[in-house]
């Protein structure tokens, strides 16, 4: 069954919690507003998708390509100790993939990040520098 | 750089916590010994892999194919409310992908499952029935 490509829009909860940094062929790339961790989301622009298995096979392959590209950029920029990559969606049903740069010194380590500490506001200049670096690596690198 | 295909063996911690149900072309498929959730692992048989981005591109695509196949089987068998799919690896460095069937009535919902409640031993017959159903769906279905 073909995925629904019409009428996609970003879930209001994801919109509120993130900064939009651009679109890849399948997914929107977002930065989560939480300075505790360098934390990105990929959101495939397919209206009906809740699970990865709701995507067509070719879209699943494209999602993996985009995960890999974004994860590599995030790792190169942050020099993190570990990547955490996850599609959970227990709170927000719209399919989204977390790509998080973890450090052994971060607020939640070694636990997963969800629900451990409240979000910390970004320093405006720092997050702009981070986004500029990501844009260069993801779209030009 | 090609992945290391030599000398792979399952990490002792993963071996202890799981039941081996068989191999797909890239990954070993395991059931986590925890009756709280129907919980599977895919472990790519590549000795040096810690991150998804440590796999070659063709292996990443194969991993997505295997994730999709196993997730679909798990969803069909369990009729779960949500799938949780994640590559974390903060505790065990060997690359492994969690594929978990979540219910809105389970012990951790809506939180991620890690660290919420202690593992619950399986009923021997129930887990054998679950494994038989999985094997049919994953390798024959």
């Amino acid at each position: 069954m073909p995925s629904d490509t019409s009428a996609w829009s970003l879930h209001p909860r994801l919109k509120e919690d993130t900064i939009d940094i651009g679109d890849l062929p399948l997914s929107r790339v977002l930065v989560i507003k939480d300075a505790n961790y360098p934390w990105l989301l990929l959101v495939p622009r397919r209206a009906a998708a809740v699970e990865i298995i709701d995507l067509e096979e070719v879209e699943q392959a494209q999602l993996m390509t985009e995960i890999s590209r974004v994860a590599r950029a995030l790792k190169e920029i942050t020099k993190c100790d570990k990547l955490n990559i996850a599609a959970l969606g227990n709170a927000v049903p719209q399919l989204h993939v977390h790509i998080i740069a973890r450090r052994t010194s971060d607020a939640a380590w070694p636990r997963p990040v969800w629900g451990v500490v409240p979000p910390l506001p970004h320093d405006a200049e720092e997050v702009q520098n981070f986004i500029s670096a990501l844009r260069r690596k993801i779209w030009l690198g």
Side-chain angles (χ1 to χ4, degrees), chain A residues 28-85:
Chain A
R28 183 149 301 169
V29 187
L30 304 161
V31 173
I32 294 255
K33 292 177 186 164
D34 183 349
N36 286 300
Y37 325 93
W39 183 347
L40 308 181
L41 289 185
L42 284 183
V43 187
R45 297 186 305 281
R46 293 294 178 266
V50 173
E51 303 286 1
I52 288 173
I53 57 173
D54 294 336
L55 299 175
E56 288 185 80
E57 218 172 301
V58 67
E59 294 169 336
Q60 290 174 15
Q62 178 62 25
L63 178 60
M64 181 58 96
T65 298
E66 296 183 0
I67 288 170
S68 179
R69 187 168 187 90
V70 169
R72 201 174 291 277
L74 184 63
K75 189 174 181 195
E76 285 176 16
I77 291 167
T78 64
K79 321 283 186 208
C80 61
D81 299 308
K82 187 72 192 70
L83 292 165
N84 285 179
I85 298 176

Side-chain angles (χ1 to χ4, degrees), chain A residues 15-30:
Chain A
K15 188 162 186 168
E16 193 179 307
D17 294 346
T18 65
I19 303 163
D20 178 352
I21 72 164
D23 282 358
L24 287 168
L26 177 64
S27 310
R28 183 149 301 169
V29 187
L30 304 161

